[in-house]
Amino acid sequence: MIDLPAPKPDVLARRAEILAGLQALLPGDGVITEPARVKPYETDGLSAYRQPPLAVVLPRTTEEVAAILRFCHRNGVRVIPRGAGTSLSGGALPLADAVVLGMMRLNRILEVDYANRLAVVEAGVTNLGITNHIAGDGFFYAPDPSSQLACMIGGNVGMNSGGAHCLKYGVTANNLLGLKAVTIEGEIFEVGGRHLDAAGYDWLGLLTGSEGQLAVVTEVTVRILHAPEGQRAMLAAFKGTEIAGAAVDAIIASGIIPVALEFMDKPCIHACEAFAHAGYPLDAEAMLIIEVEGSQQEQDMLLGKLKEICSRFDPISLKVAQTPEESLAIWKGRKGAFGAVGRISPDYLCMDGTIPTGELPHVLRRIGEMSTEYGLQVANVFHAGDGNLHPLIMFDANDAASFRKAEAFGADILKLCVEVGGCLTGEHGVGVEKRDLMPVQFTPFELDQMRALKAAFDPDWLLNPAKVFPIEGNPALRPAA
Amino acid sequence: MIDLPAPKPDVLARRAEILAGLQALLPGDGVITEPARVKPYETDGLSAYRQPPLAVVLPRTTEEVAAILRFCHRNGVRVIPRGAGTSLSGGALPLADAVVLGMMRLNRILEVDYANRLAVVEAGVTNLGITNHIAGDGFFYAPDPSSQLACMIGGNVGMNSGGAHCLKYGVTANNLLGLKAVTIEGEIFEVGGRHLDAAGYDWLGLLTGSEGQLAVVTEVTVRILHAPEGQRAMLAAFKGTEIAGAAVDAIIASGIIPVALEFMDKPCIHACEAFAHAGYPLDAEAMLIIEVEGSQQEQDMLLGKLKEICSRFDPISLKVAQTPEESLAIWKGRKGAFGAVGRISPDYLCMDGTIPTGELPHVLRRIGEMSTEYGLQVANVFHAGDGNLHPLIMFDANDAASFRKAEAFGADILKLCVEVGGCLTGEHGVGVEKRDLMPVQFTPFELDQMRALKAAFDPDWLLNPAKVFPIEGNPALRPAA
């Protein structure tokens, strides 16, 4: 379980006055206080934690966001920015004395500029909403988190979200051109723009992935890409996870960059097959889904090379999709993986860490050993090409000891990631979930220096304050008694 | 001309004591004070400015860098980090009261890890030195600034350097995995590592391109890539610069990403042809050099498509290299472009700005008009695919009025870049050259916020202080009388 900072007594005491002030700034239905309507905002995708906020505000414009932040700053009120609330690390978890700043009403697509291959959208536009808007003209927005139907581009920026296709196209940071954002003092500013390079410091990069702690993003200029002529997937099944890991290495070392390179281990294959009947090889210890794109000719050439590479690793089976339908069939099980694991074990923790790809075989072996030690099942499904692991640790939520064991197992996996030269996070961010593990990755000086960057934007630690850094030792945050 | 901050009188007064302190930290030949040996450090690639420093120090290790910085911090001494001194924006220009911290003795390649496709090198290793070290094993480091024979990776990080091949591979920031660096207080820290993602804030990105103002980089972990089987270029000549600009747009919009997409206008074509006899079409108003890479089959496929696209724009000539030798011939003139322009006009300013690629035709027309207005010739040669312009403004250095006109013309071009939604810099950084233009791009609040980031690392403004931001209005820097 996690500690939250002690609520500020003066803010709780002035609740009525603060709500009246907010209502004056957002006339109509922009301030939500009734418990039943506040309820959906009490938690996010990391549903293990839940906390009602002081209130929820739903502005419609950058100027309204600025007015709210200026008011909260003047009144010492903490603010939790929130998109669709799909964060898997508790990035949008409220605090009892905080205002949740819901961004979903800033949902306009402001401009699409095909000549410069960019779109300007408000923070509350959904990830898939961008692609849907431009797909008819042959364009798409590349990062594709699993939650793309719901998650909002502002949240994607805050968490630097990834997805299955990030191996080729990079994460959110690689697909952004500019931001409009508002500081806690209500200053509206712009970073980046319609060009690739930046003068001065790279604060576009700094803001991306800063988990709503530095400023509130209200508009995003994204790079859009010309959609490829088509894509096709292949499935390669192997006799061991380490062999499959070696095949991943060989593919990457060949210089081919597939659009996606997904890894599933035996427990995950079985769960997905039982759920989706995708025709997955049940005798395999591990399988890869590899997708390429381009013209028919390019697809043939790349799939031919990939088939040749995979055959060096004594595969159980190799299946190259000949049609888009066969591709969809290959993907069908993978896309439903989390749901499939949910059928075996209603409760699981989805971890998210990154390792140097060369460490895949070693790390998979260690995770297997830990699974035995903890007596908890684990299914591995992940973006292998960029070393982004997503072990799913199954536990029983009705058994508190089982949950604690799962948390400890998860922490051990993340520590292992750091130990082999990797990183605590992949694409889900730190949030509250991994906050207390940050000292595993960083020295006290490094954490202090990051806190100094936070303070350069928000000296009073009002913006999403209980996330990213351990509360303990932070003079701006007192742990709750 | 540019203003430098007033030297600190107490530092000048204590010069002997400070030099003795530095000598104690770097026994042997690590401290250089004789004017003849200091001379090469008085300027950099932007040779318009020259200033002898207090001293030059040449450490050999991260620990020596830390000791020097700690000493300078304690004594209030300004520090100018320097790699090979190839900066074209005056990024390594000394100050009279500053110590130049030359990094060229940190020149070891510490590790090459092919399984994880990375190399760990010290800051003073040259850009090309990395590729030379690994080329025999079929790998390379992608960013390729024109100065790659001399320039050092630490300076590349400071300036976020690019190069002709950045269209496909990105700039330095896109090819970094981690840094070891030292703060002005002598704290050694690490950012990033052997993995793609970062936990917490993206301060790897923030440090990259921070022009030596936040910390001194001593070790760099770079992504290395598997070399393609081969590459081939084509040359396409057109009847107008706007037509060539439209062809660039069409290529990018097609979804093909060539490795390089270079643009030369008529003055540049003529200068290069006279110099290199590359067989360039002298009747063309503009030409493109387009390079692709991959297997022979991929090259054929991509060049076929590119030829088809270019032929839609009524080209004067289209020449596709059939052999590596023919490719080299096509590149020969371009590679010597700066030297070729130097033969026509011994003095020229090389500008560096970025625009949305869709604005190419408009911006080229305006530069031509300004050339007439100022009565100064300009040759345009640039990385068209990513909108990074390099107009070369020719002037006569023996005529002070001509230099001032060239500076004003250059500033007008950069203002135009900002006006069309672009950026003051491309790959050369801000340095002293574009420092006073920063308010054209950023609001006072935005500049203040960037200064707050600087102060979060270096509150006394000791690290490379006279760069990036206007001196005027900065309470930490008093302009020289």
Side-chain angles (χ1 to χ4, degrees):
Chain A
M1 293 307 298
I2 51 143
D3 291 325
L4 293 180
K8 297 173 146 193
D10 63 310
V11 168
L12 296 182
R14 286 182 297 128
R15 180 167 191 265
E17 179 199 331
I18 289 166
L19 296 185
L22 291 169
Q23 255 138 4
L25 295 174
L26 295 180
D29 64 345
V31 181
I32 294 178
T33 55
E34 311 94 283
R37 288 189 62 209
V38 167
K39 197 145 192 78
Y41 299 92
E42 290 179 3
T43 188
D44 61 11
L46 181 72
S47 51
Y49 308 112
R50 178 171 285 276
Q51 170 63 55
L54 198 69
V56 177
V57 295
L58 303 175
R60 292 185 188 277
T61 64
T62 297
E63 289 66 33
E64 286 186 352
V65 171
I68 291 163
L69 290 173
R70 207 173 297 122
F71 175 85
C72 288
H73 178 249
R74 229 171 16 226
N75 286 279
V77 178
R78 291 164 171 160
V79 177
I80 313 295
R82 179 186 173 104
T86 53
S87 169
L88 292 170
S89 61
L93 182 70
L95 296 171
D97 62 348
V99 167
V100 168
L101 178 58
M103 299 296 288
M104 66 280 279
R105 290 183 177 173
L106 283 93
N107 61 0
R108 292 173 305 160
I109 292 180
L110 300 175
E111 187 188 344
V112 177
D113 175 351
Y114 291 122
N116 287 307
R117 301 179 319 290
L118 58 85
V120 184
V121 305
E122 289 187 323
V125 171
T126 64
N127 175 293
L128 196 59
I130 301 174
T131 291
N132 284 345
H133 189 78
I134 57 182
D137 297 313
F139 282 79
F140 72 113
Y141 172 66
D144 56 343
S146 302
S147 57
Q148 66 177 149
L149 195 66
C151 68
M152 293 169 187
I153 188 71
N156 288 184
V157 172
M159 289 308 191
N160 195 12
S161 305
H165 288 72
C166 289
L167 176 56
K168 177 162 178 186
Y169 294 112
V171 289
T172 303
N174 309 114
N175 291 275
L176 285 188
L177 291 170
L179 296 177
K180 182 182 276 189
V182 189
T183 66
I184 187 66
E185 295 178 29
E187 287 277 358
I188 299 170
F189 64 100
E190 294 185 30
V191 193
R194 290 161 174 268
H195 43 80
L196 280 175
D197 299 285
Y201 301 147
D202 180 16
W203 59 332
L204 176 57
L206 177 64
L207 287 167
T208 308
S210 65
E211 308 202 6
Q213 291 205 311
L214 305 185
V216 177
V217 171
T218 60
E219 274 180 36
V220 186
T221 303
V222 297
R223 159 78 61 230
I224 55 177
L225 298 172
H226 207 274
E229 278 180 44
Q231 52 274 320
R232 251 186 311 148
M234 65 176 279
L235 188 162
F238 299 94
K239 289 176 188 154
T241 52
E242 295 183 39
I243 300 171
V248 169
D249 267 6
I251 290 166
I252 299 292
S254 78
I256 298 178
I257 302 185
V259 197
L261 177 42
E262 299 286 300
F263 186 112
M264 294 165 71
D265 69 1
K266 188 167 201 162
C268 190
I269 296 170
H270 280 247
C272 289
E273 182 57 22
F275 184 50
H277 309 293
Y280 287 170
L282 294 176
D283 51 341
E285 288 297 321
M287 61 171 254
L288 303 177
I289 297 175
I290 316 167
E291 185 167 272
V292 301
E293 66 181 19
S295 65
Q296 192 68 31
Q297 194 188 358
E298 283 169 285
Q299 293 173 30
D300 287 342
M301 182 185 68
L302 292 169
L303 288 169
K305 280 191 196 174
L306 289 166
K307 204 170 162 181
E308 187 276 310
I309 294 169
C310 287
S311 29
R312 289 184 225 149
F313 295 87
D314 191 19
I316 293 176
S317 63
L318 285 178
K319 187 159 78 186
V320 176
Q322 299 304 328
T323 62
E325 292 68 35
E326 288 182 24
S327 267
L328 284 179
I330 288 177
W331 273 109
K332 192 179 165 202
R334 167 64 184 92
K335 295 268 183 193
F338 288 18
V341 171
R343 289 207 332 164
I344 306 177
S345 167
D347 309 301
Y348 62 84
L349 287 183
C350 169
M351 306 311 295
D352 168 54
T354 307
I355 58 169
T357 49
E359 300 288 341
L360 267 178
H362 167 66
V363 168
L364 291 175
R365 189 173 57 242
R366 282 292 298 131
I367 290 177
E369 289 163 8
M370 287 192 247
S371 166
T372 311
E373 287 156 29
Y374 277 102
L376 291 176
Q377 265 198 291
V378 61
N380 282 295
V381 48
F382 55 89
H383 314 314
D386 45 8
N388 185 186
L389 307 182
H390 288 313
L392 304 176
I393 303 173
M394 302 173 223
F395 67 98
D396 175 1
N398 296 319
D399 172 1
S402 165
F403 177 56
R404 279 195 304 273
K405 269 207 295 187
E407 281 196 318
F409 184 4
D412 279 352
I413 291 177
L414 297 179
K415 285 176 195 165
L416 173 64
C417 290
V418 175
E419 207 176 278
V420 300
C423 175
L424 281 180
T425 67
E427 53 191 11
H428 298 174
V430 178
V432 293
E433 188 201 21
K434 292 178 238 180
R435 189 186 70 179
D436 296 323
L437 289 170
M438 286 286 277
V440 175
Q441 179 117 41
F442 298 103
T443 67
F445 168 77
E446 289 161 358
L447 288 174
D448 280 348
Q449 190 55 43
M450 280 194 249
R451 287 194 193 97
L453 293 175
K454 159 81 168 152
F457 281 87
D458 175 22
D460 303 328
W461 284 72
L462 295 176
L463 267 178
N464 217 11
K467 319 289 165 68
V468 183
F469 304 100
I471 290 179
E472 198 158 332
N474 182 344
L477 302 176
R478 200 166 45 82
Chain B
M1 294 304 299
I2 50 144
D3 291 325
L4 293 180
K8 297 172 146 195
D10 65 309
V11 169
L12 296 182
R14 286 182 298 128
R15 180 167 190 265
E17 178 199 329
I18 289 165
L19 296 185
L22 291 168
Q23 255 139 6
L25 295 173
L26 295 180
D29 64 345
V31 181
I32 294 177
T33 55
E34 310 95 282
R37 288 189 62 209
V38 167
K39 196 141 194 82
Y41 299 92
E42 291 179 3
T43 187
D44 62 10
L46 181 71
S47 52
Y49 308 111
R50 178 170 284 275
Q51 170 64 55
L54 198 70
V56 177
V57 295
L58 302 175
R60 292 185 187 279
T61 63
T62 297
E63 289 67 32
E64 286 186 352
V65 171
I68 292 164
L69 290 173
R70 208 174 295 121
F71 175 85
C72 288
H73 178 248
R74 226 165 25 220
N75 286 278
V77 178
R78 292 164 171 159
V79 177
I80 313 294
R82 179 186 174 104
T86 52
S87 168
L88 292 170
S89 62
L93 182 69
L95 296 172
D97 62 349
V99 167
V100 168
L101 178 58
M103 300 296 288
M104 67 281 279
R105 289 183 178 173
L106 283 93
N107 60 0
R108 292 173 305 161
I109 292 179
L110 301 174
E111 188 189 343
V112 177
D113 176 349
Y114 291 122
N116 288 306
R117 301 179 320 290
L118 58 86
V120 184
V121 305
E122 289 186 324
V125 172
T126 64
N127 174 292
L128 196 59
I130 302 174
T131 291
N132 284 344
H133 189 79
I134 57 182
D137 296 313
F139 282 78
F140 73 113
Y141 172 66
D144 56 344
S146 301
S147 57
Q148 67 177 151
L149 195 66
C151 68
M152 293 169 186
I153 188 72
N156 288 182
V157 172
M159 290 307 192
N160 196 11
S161 304
H165 288 72
C166 289
L167 175 57
K168 177 162 177 185
Y169 294 112
V171 289
T172 303
N174 309 113
N175 291 273
L176 286 188
L177 291 171
L179 296 177
K180 182 182 277 187
V182 189
T183 66
I184 187 67
E185 295 177 29
E187 287 277 359
I188 300 169
F189 64 99
E190 294 185 30
V191 192
R194 290 160 173 270
H195 44 80
L196 280 175
D197 298 285
Y201 301 147
D202 179 17
W203 57 333
L204 176 57
L206 178 64
L207 287 166
T208 307
S210 65
E211 307 203 6
Q213 292 204 311
L214 305 185
V216 177
V217 171
T218 61
E219 274 180 36
V220 186
T221 302
V222 296
R223 158 80 59 231
I224 56 177
L225 298 172
H226 207 273
E229 278 181 46
Q231 51 275 319
R232 252 187 310 148
M234 66 176 279
L235 187 162
F238 299 94
K239 290 177 189 154
T241 51
E242 294 183 39
I243 300 171
V248 169
D249 267 7
I251 291 166
I252 299 292
S254 79
I256 298 178
I257 301 186
V259 197
L261 177 43
E262 299 287 300
F263 186 112
M264 294 164 71
D265 69 0
K266 187 166 202 166
C268 189
I269 296 170
H270 279 247
C272 290
E273 182 58 22
F275 184 51
H277 309 295
Y280 287 171
L282 295 175
D283 51 340
E285 288 296 319
M287 61 171 255
L288 303 177
I289 297 176
I290 316 167
E291 186 167 271
V292 302
E293 65 181 20
S295 65
Q296 193 67 33
Q297 195 188 357
E298 282 169 285
Q299 293 173 31
D300 287 341
M301 183 185 69
L302 291 170
L303 288 169
K305 278 192 196 174
L306 289 167
K307 204 171 161 180
E308 188 276 309
I309 294 170
C310 287
S311 27
R312 289 184 226 149
F313 294 88
D314 191 18
I316 292 176
S317 63
L318 284 180
K319 187 158 76 185
V320 177
Q322 299 304 327
T323 63
E325 293 67 36
E326 288 182 22
S327 268
L328 284 180
I330 288 177
W331 273 108
K332 193 179 163 201
R334 168 65 184 91
K335 295 267 183 192
F338 287 18
V341 171
R343 288 208 333 163
I344 306 177
S345 167
D347 309 299
Y348 62 83
L349 287 183
C350 170
M351 306 312 296
D352 168 54
T354 307
I355 57 169
T357 49
E359 299 288 341
L360 268 179
H362 167 67
V363 167
L364 291 174
R365 191 174 54 241
R366 281 291 298 132
I367 290 177
E369 289 164 6
M370 285 192 246
S371 167
T372 310
E373 287 156 29
Y374 276 101
L376 291 175
Q377 266 197 290
V378 63
N380 282 296
V381 48
F382 55 89
H383 313 314
D386 45 10
N388 184 187
L389 307 182
H390 289 313
L392 304 175
I393 303 172
M394 302 173 223
F395 68 98
D396 176 0
N398 295 319
D399 173 1
S402 164
F403 177 56
R404 279 195 304 273
K405 269 206 295 188
E407 281 197 318
F409 184 4
D412 279 353
I413 291 176
L414 297 179
K415 285 176 195 163
L416 173 64
C417 290
V418 175
E419 206 175 279
V420 302
C423 175
L424 281 179
T425 68
E427 54 191 10
H428 298 174
V430 178
V432 292
E433 188 201 20
K434 292 177 237 179
R435 190 188 68 181
D436 296 323
L437 289 171
M438 287 285 277
V440 175
Q441 179 118 42
F442 297 103
T443 66
F445 169 77
E446 289 161 358
L447 289 174
D448 280 348
Q449 191 54 43
M450 280 194 249
R451 287 195 194 96
L453 294 175
K454 159 79 168 154
F457 281 87
D458 175 21
D460 304 327
W461 283 72
L462 295 176
L463 268 178
N464 216 12
K467 320 290 165 65
V468 183
F469 303 100
I471 291 180
E472 198 159 332
N474 183 343
L477 302 175
R478 198 166 45 82

